[in-house]
Amino acid sequence: MTVQAHTMIDLPGIPKLKSGKVREVYDLGDLCLFIASDRISAFDCILPNGIPNKGQVLNLMSAFWFDRLGAIVPNHRVSTRVEDLPPAMQAHRDLLRGRTMLVRKARILPVECIVRGYLIGSGWKDYQATGTIGGMPLRAGYRLADKLDEPVFTPSTKAEVGHDENINFDTAASLLGADLARQVRDASLALYREAAAYALARGIIIADTKFEFGTIDGKLHLVDEALTPDSSRFWPAAEYRPGSNPPSYDKQFVRDYLESLDWDKKPPAPPLPAEVVGKTRAKYLEAFQRLTGRTLDATLAG
């Protein structure tokens, strides 16, 4: 049976606040509603076809981590139950099941909070060129994909269009204030350490991840999504070999396919073939089951 990807989600008669690369955001007065679509993006381009069930994986995996890590820092989640949605949305409950998160409104901080536990991606390129990562000197001798002696906090600015810009901690402090910058750095590192240890025991290495924070009633809260295949690099621990680029559970598989094409990485993006869609979907579902201990179908069934 073919599973449909829901890339465009509109609720007739209900005003939409924002449409992002993956999520639709609705303003419900005191709360906001996030709806996770099955859209997938790469190189800042949204691809024309999506990955079935991807939105549910992202939404429910975030909810899992919000529950598990709430003792470290509170989060904005209120509910993921479609039964808790306003009456006007109940007609769409089958489409929305597993995709929705009611959240408290927050004042979003203008900094992406990235934690790197392994040397890969732009961090590896930075280290090769300068011996540093995020402006912080590292010891000599690291190989590609090596585990860092200690996780490092490497913030970046948020770009509405194009790529985020890496910044150092002092610049983050100038944007946030010294005290708040220390809070987000310490919270980010604590969240990463706890999640990485939990995931490793289940056969997944979290190489790096991105957190977003906001304040609610003046208190720091974790917001948006957390520790998903879209915001993190997940590697299968059994296949990890330092010195080489590990396989992944995230959308790196899609990026690798697109890199093989004669495409200038500008819109419009090319469609993904059925084989790439199927393999990517399987990776998302496997990561979900390994980390949560339940299949997506069982979770959706309650």
Side-chain angles (χ1 to χ4, degrees):
M1 182 179 68
T2 302
V3 183
Q4 180 183 357
H6 296 283
T7 56
M8 299 302 296
I9 298 177
D10 289 301
L11 305 181
I14 301 172
K16 187 183 296 184
L17 184 65
K18 179 182 177 183
S19 185
K21 288 181 179 178
V22 174
R23 288 171 182 76
E24 312 293 356
V25 182
Y26 291 83
D27 190 337
L28 301 184
D30 293 338
L31 304 176
C32 281
L33 175 67
F34 290 175
I35 302 176
S37 75
D38 293 331
R39 293 192 292 270
I40 190 165
S41 65
F43 306 111
D44 296 313
C45 293
I46 298 174
L47 304 181
N49 50 338
I51 307 298
N53 300 119
K54 174 177 175 285
Q56 292 162 319
V57 166
L58 299 182
N59 186 58
L60 295 175
M61 188 178 288
S62 290
F64 167 81
W65 288 116
F66 286 157
D67 286 342
R68 182 164 189 88
L69 302 173
I72 296 175
V73 62
N75 58 73
H76 66 165
R77 177 198 177 195
V78 174
S79 176
T80 54
R81 288 166 30 93
V82 291
E83 291 80 7
D84 295 333
L85 297 180
M89 295 183 178
Q90 291 301 320
H92 309 286
R93 60 192 298 161
D94 289 342
L95 169 64
L96 298 179
R97 191 173 301 279
R99 298 182 181 278
T100 64
M101 186 177 293
L102 284 166
V103 302
R104 298 175 66 192
K105 289 182 175 178
R107 183 179 69 86
I108 306 301
L109 303 187
V111 170
E112 301 273 12
C113 298
I114 300 163
V115 180
R116 303 176 189 272
Y118 292 74
L119 201 51
I120 197 73
S122 63
W124 169 245
K125 292 177 182 177
D126 194 7
Y127 175 73
Q128 283 184 299
T130 67
T132 69
I133 185 170
M136 293 178 289
L138 296 180
R139 66 167 172 82
Y142 279 117
R143 298 164 294 175
L144 174 68
D146 262 342
K147 183 178 182 181
L148 295 167
D149 296 339
E150 292 290 338
V152 295
F153 175 70
T154 59
S156 71
T157 59
K158 295 182 181 180
E160 290 295 326
V161 178
H163 297 285
D164 299 337
E165 179 184 348
N166 293 331
I167 57 177
N168 59 30
F169 179 77
D170 288 342
T171 302
S174 71
L175 292 171
L176 302 177
D179 182 61
L180 190 54
R182 284 192 293 269
Q183 286 186 57
V184 298
R185 178 193 61 195
D186 294 349
S188 297
L189 290 168
L191 290 166
Y192 174 80
R193 288 189 174 100
E194 177 67 24
Y198 171 88
L200 187 58
R202 285 145 187 85
I204 290 181
I205 291 170
I206 303 178
D208 53 40
T209 195
K210 175 185 71 177
F211 298 113
E212 291 201 44
F213 293 93
T215 57
I216 300 175
D217 297 330
K219 185 175 181 180
L220 189 69
H221 282 66
L222 182 61
V223 301
D224 196 52
E225 64 179 304
L227 295 151
T228 70
D230 271 17
S231 65
S232 316
R233 280 189 177 89
F234 290 161
W235 296 338
E239 299 175 57
Y240 169 64
R241 302 289 184 274
S244 63
N245 198 5
S248 67
Y249 288 106
D250 55 49
K251 60 183 179 181
Q252 189 62 43
F253 185 78
V254 171
R255 292 190 195 99
D256 290 344
Y257 165 74
L258 294 172
E259 288 276 22
S260 72
L261 304 179
D262 184 18
W263 174 49
D264 61 4
K265 300 183 178 63
K266 297 178 182 178
L272 298 174
E275 180 184 10
V276 174
V277 169
K279 288 183 177 179
T280 303
R281 177 175 181 264
K283 285 175 178 289
Y284 275 75
L285 292 174
E286 182 183 350
F288 182 87
Q289 182 169 354
R290 279 184 176 241
L291 290 171
T292 69
R294 303 182 74 193
T295 65
L296 179 64
D297 286 344
T299 303
L300 291 172

